[in-house]
Amino acid sequence: MLAFQPGGGKIMGGLEFSGVFVILLLVLAVIFIFMGVQSVSQGTEYTVERFGRYTRTLRPGLNLIVPIVDRIGAKLNMMEQVLDVPSQEIISRDNAMVTVDGVVFYQVLDAPKAAYEVSNLTLAVLNLAMTNIRTVMGSLDLDELLSQRDKINAQLLGVIDHATAPWGIKVTRIEIKDIAPPKDLVDSMARQMKAERDKRASILEAEGLRQADILKAEGEKQATILGAEGRREAAFRDAEARERAAEAEAKATALVSEAIGKGSVQAINYFVAQKYVEALGKIASAPNQKVILMPLEASSVIGAVAGIAEIAREAFDKDKRIAPWGDARPK
């Protein structure tokens, strides 16, 4: 028989309580460790707060914190983000009403500043972009708004990036997507553009006609100059020819006079016959003469021709009497 011990029940009860306590501690330890492990995905950063105060930032990967004491404050996206700027009406410097919308690209660079320097970062960037778009574009004329988008984008980027620097973000780009003037203003611009193009076409046409007239006048001027130069050259040539003919005539007259002075009557016959034959040639070649009646004496013509033959014979006989060296031989 087993002996009954009065204190055995108390011992067994104490052992069971200790086992449950240990198991509870193990479960709490596992939960505590599980709560202290934080996995941060790529492109994201977490801020850690201890009793409500920022202490450090968790980078992508596996991180450990102290449960209960530490907690996750803010989860921030560190990738570049796109923010649409809704349409808004803007009055330009020349009082034209236009509707404008845009888009902003920004990236968080400093997680603690983005979490604790501004409340609701997205709303802050959106309102800052809208107000600066009104400010920058309202200081320009309508023509500048429509033709200088690159300048507007660069100016907006500089202003907004400088304003958001304390928030730990970087504004990489800001683009104006659409600028929509009112319909009546668009129609006026279309008419103005058409009138301007018609004006340029008229100016170009007038300029072309003017250039054509100038070129034509220049051509006529050159033709006149060249014609005058040609006539001058022809006159010079004619004068030179007449001068040479006169020299030849004077020389021939001198030779005839010399021959007459030496007593050669046939020289006079030669000279008269030459002029006589030239006159007959001019009369015969005249185009308006059909029938020629010339009361000429045949004996005069025959005498003139005979004079020419006599002169030729005397010259031929004189050449025979002259030696090759220029000495005269006796008859």
Side-chain angles (χ1 to χ4, degrees), residues 247-258:
E247 290 178 355
E249 186 72 18
K251 187 175 181 182
T253 305
L255 292 175
V256 170
S257 299
E258 183 180 357

Side-chain angles (χ1 to χ4, degrees), residues 10-327:
K10 294 180 179 180
I11 294 173
M12 292 298 294
L15 291 174
E16 290 179 358
F17 178 76
S18 298
V20 172
F21 182 74
V22 171
I23 293 172
L24 182 61
L25 288 178
L26 291 175
V27 172
L28 291 176
V30 171
I31 296 174
F32 190 81
I33 294 173
F34 182 78
M35 291 175 61
V37 176
Q38 294 291 330
S39 178
V40 181
S41 59
Q42 184 66 35
T44 307
E45 290 185 1
Y46 296 171
T47 61
V48 178
E49 299 175 357
R50 177 169 295 177
F51 300 115
R53 181 182 180 183
Y54 167 78
T55 57
R56 60 194 178 96
T57 302
L58 301 183
R59 306 295 178 182
L62 190 63
N63 298 271
L64 297 176
I65 63 173
V66 179
I68 301 174
V69 178
D70 295 337
R71 71 181 185 89
I72 301 300
K75 299 179 180 180
L76 298 173
N77 185 354
M78 306 300 291
M79 295 181 290
E80 187 172 3
Q81 302 177 58
V82 181
L83 180 63
D84 284 328
V85 179
S87 299
Q88 58 179 331
E89 291 185 347
I90 295 175
I91 300 177
S92 64
R93 187 171 58 185
D94 53 354
N95 297 324
M97 183 74 70
V98 294
T99 303
V100 180
D101 59 357
V103 58
V104 178
F105 297 84
Y106 71 95
Q107 183 177 10
V108 177
L109 300 180
D110 192 334
K113 288 184 178 181
Y116 303 111
E117 293 293 335
V118 60
S119 177
N120 197 340
L121 177 63
T122 302
L123 183 61
V125 174
L126 177 61
N127 283 277
L128 184 63
M130 292 181 67
T131 55
N132 279 277
I133 286 175
R134 284 196 298 269
T135 301
V136 172
M137 299 186 71
S139 62
L140 301 175
D141 294 333
L142 179 61
D143 293 338
E144 295 175 340
L145 294 180
L146 298 176
S147 62
Q148 299 182 7
R149 288 199 181 190
D150 292 339
K151 178 181 177 181
I152 296 172
N153 294 336
Q155 189 173 354
L156 287 173
L157 177 61
V159 172
I160 297 176
D161 184 48
H162 178 74
T164 57
W167 301 345
I169 66 173
K170 171 68 177 177
V171 178
T172 56
R173 284 176 296 173
I174 180 168
E175 300 286 342
I176 300 299
K177 291 194 300 184
D178 188 23
I179 300 176
K183 187 177 183 302
D184 56 347
L185 187 58
V186 173
D187 295 338
S188 300
M189 291 170 60
R191 290 193 300 270
Q192 179 183 1
M193 181 181 64
K194 184 177 182 300
E196 185 67 24
R197 291 189 175 182
D198 293 340
K199 175 184 175 182
R200 288 201 299 265
S202 300
I203 292 174
L204 290 176
E205 184 178 0
E207 186 67 23
L209 294 175
R210 173 177 172 271
Q211 191 68 21
D213 292 339
I214 292 174
L215 293 176
K216 182 179 179 181
E218 188 69 22
E220 293 176 353
K221 175 184 175 182
Q222 292 295 330
T224 304
I225 292 174
L226 292 176
E229 291 180 353
R231 290 191 299 273
R232 186 184 67 176
E233 184 68 20
F236 177 77
R237 298 292 184 183
D238 291 341
E240 186 177 5
R242 288 194 300 270
E243 181 181 358
R244 291 184 180 181
E247 290 178 355
E249 186 72 18
K251 187 175 181 182
T253 305
L255 292 175
V256 170
S257 299
E258 183 180 357
I260 294 172
K262 291 180 179 181
S264 178
V265 182
Q266 299 299 330
I268 297 176
N269 293 332
Y270 168 76
F271 189 74
V272 173
Q274 183 182 9
K275 297 297 181 178
Y276 196 80
V277 172
E278 289 179 358
L280 288 177
K282 291 181 179 179
I283 294 173
S285 62
N288 57 351
Q289 299 295 331
K290 301 300 181 179
V291 179
I292 302 174
L293 299 176
M294 296 183 298
L296 302 176
E297 296 181 0
S299 60
S300 299
V301 178
I302 295 173
V305 175
I308 296 174
E310 184 65 23
I311 293 172
R313 184 167 55 254
E314 288 180 0
F316 181 72
D317 292 340
K318 185 177 180 180
D319 289 338
K320 285 184 177 182
R321 292 194 301 268
I322 296 175
W325 297 279
D327 297 335

